[in-house]
Amino acid sequence: MELSIRLKSIINLMDSCSSIVDVGTDHGYIPIYAVKNGICKTAIASDINSGPLKKAEKNIVNEELKDKIYCRKGGGLSTVSVDEVEALIIAGMGGNLIRDILLEDIEKVKRYEYIILQPAQNPEVLREFLYKNSFEVIDEDICIDEGKFYELFKVKYIEDVKDESKEDTDYEISPYLIKKKHPLILDYIEYKILYYEKIKNYILEDTEAARERKNSVQCILNRLEELRKCLLKS
Ligand SMILES: C[S@@+](CC[C@H](N)C(=O)[O-])C[C@H]1O[C@@H](n2cnc3c(N)ncnc32)[C@H](O)[C@@H]1O
């Protein structure tokens, strides 16, 4: 089984542990790879929809891992009990949905050894939530797969690690990745500049709300340009 670059980047952040839950597992590739390669002994492959779960089940049976990977149907973390697994993986959903899944079951979330999150959209929403709500960043990463950037967060809940010092624009680009001089960070900033330029050009109305929206996009663009210049100088 050959994993995509995006899924490999999740595996690269995983520490050995006894068990994981993969919420929104779909094909089940993450639990299959993790168990097959001894990263964890057992796993729960969980999904809200029957179709994806059937796909996962088929792949798990094909790999002869039915006694080590358990398929469960349900939304978010409703399929696992407190302390049933050591680590949580959620990938391929929007940042808003991932945030809501964490919030819905925060008491379970607080106890995981580590949590790996890879939003498919709106990573900035998730970053703001994590930084402001007592999640310690263990690591962050970015990868590019089939021309699309994906951000990754490896975090752990630690009481009182709230970071309220950031500006709204700081959630767009990870301060952690800038400090780490991630090899893709400049490309990512340039990609975001083009993205927000496009959004700005789409705002054509001349209403108060449109002017406000344009101003906030311009603030993000100014910050991104500032970061770009700093990185080019360093
Ligand atoms: C795009 S797939 C991502 C699959 C895999 N995690 C990956 O990254 O390749 C999203 C999966 O999340 C499932 N999903 C959506 N909302 C969910 C929720 N609230 N709880 C659990 N699973 C959910 C969908 O059924 C779908 O299988």
Side-chain angles (χ1 to χ4, degrees), residues 4 6-7 10 22-31 46-53 55 72-79 89-94 97-98 100-101 118 120-121 150:
S4 64
R6 180 177 71 79
L7 293 180
I10 297 174
D22 181 31
V23 170
T25 197
D26 195 3
H27 35 65
Y29 290 162
I30 289 289
S46 183
D47 206 289
I48 199 167
N49 291 307
S50 309
L53 212 52
K55 224 189 300 175
R72 299 206 187 144
K73 186 169 175 270
L77 284 161
S78 64
T79 54
I89 317 287
I90 312 181
M93 299 177 203
L97 179 54
I98 295 178
D100 294 346
I101 289 173
Q118 187 184 61
Q121 308 91 27
Y150 294 92

Side-chain angles (χ1 to χ4, degrees), residues 80 130 224:
V80 284
L130 295 170
L224 291 170

Side-chain angles (χ1 to χ4, degrees), residues 8-229:
K8 262 187 211 146
S9 68
I10 297 174
I11 294 287
N12 289 342
L13 287 184
M14 288 176 76
D15 299 320
S16 297
C17 62
S18 65
S19 54
I20 60 155
V21 57
D22 181 31
V23 170
T25 197
D26 195 3
H27 35 65
Y29 290 162
I30 289 289
I32 291 173
Y33 191 96
V35 170
K36 250 182 112 169
N37 290 278
I39 299 169
C40 57
K41 292 189 186 81
T42 61
I44 296 171
S46 183
D47 206 289
I48 199 167
N49 291 307
S50 309
L53 212 52
K54 277 196 187 126
K55 224 189 300 175
E57 231 154 15
K58 193 168 166 242
N59 291 334
I60 292 162
V61 168
N62 284 345
E63 297 285 345
E64 298 179 358
L65 290 170
K66 225 176 161 249
D67 56 337
K68 293 192 172 125
I69 304 175
Y70 319 113
C71 288
R72 299 206 187 144
K73 186 169 175 270
L77 284 161
S78 64
T79 54
V80 284
S81 49
V82 180
D83 288 338
E84 194 180 357
V85 293
E86 277 183 4
L88 163 66
I89 317 287
I90 312 181
M93 299 177 203
N96 296 275
L97 179 54
I98 295 178
R99 175 202 58 202
D100 294 346
I101 289 173
L102 297 176
L103 273 173
E104 179 88 22
D105 259 302
I106 196 72
E107 290 310 316
K108 289 175 194 164
V109 165
K110 282 180 182 179
R111 299 163 80 100
Y112 293 130
E113 285 300 315
Y114 65 87
I115 300 168
I116 297 175
L117 308 168
Q118 187 184 61
Q121 308 91 27
N122 300 112
E124 70 287 350
V125 171
L126 188 60
R127 176 170 291 107
E128 179 166 5
F129 167 73
L130 295 170
Y131 285 11
K132 283 185 174 171
N133 288 280
S134 291
F135 288 88
E136 182 189 52
V137 175
I138 303 171
D139 205 353
E140 287 188 43
D141 196 6
I142 321 178
C143 70
I144 184 158
D145 192 350
E146 298 192 349
K148 185 172 169 6
F149 284 99
Y150 294 92
E151 292 202 55
L152 283 100
F153 301 85
K154 180 175 180 182
V155 296
K156 178 174 172 57
Y157 185 89
I158 308 252
E159 205 75 54
D160 295 330
V161 177
K162 290 180 201 183
D163 183 354
E164 306 265 12
S165 66
K166 304 272 182 308
E167 304 277 322
D168 280 357
T169 48
D170 288 337
Y171 302 114
E172 286 293 328
I173 297 289
S174 161
Y176 190 91
L177 291 177
I178 290 181
K179 205 168 160 198
K180 191 166 130 175
K181 294 201 165 105
H182 192 286
L184 285 177
I185 196 71
L186 188 58
D187 290 348
Y188 190 48
I189 290 173
E190 287 174 348
Y191 154 79
K192 284 228 169 191
I193 290 174
L194 289 178
Y195 171 80
Y196 280 108
E197 290 281 8
K198 255 191 223 162
I199 291 192
K200 198 176 84 175
N201 293 336
Y202 275 124
I203 307 173
L204 299 172
E205 292 161 76
D206 192 22
T207 60
E208 184 66 29
R211 277 193 293 277
E212 260 178 42
R213 175 79 185 121
K214 213 166 184 166
N215 272 344
S216 75
V217 171
Q218 189 58 54
C219 281
I220 296 172
L221 276 167
N222 295 347
R223 177 72 181 134
L224 291 170
E225 279 296 354
E226 212 178 286
L227 288 172
R228 181 174 165 272
K229 281 185 194 144

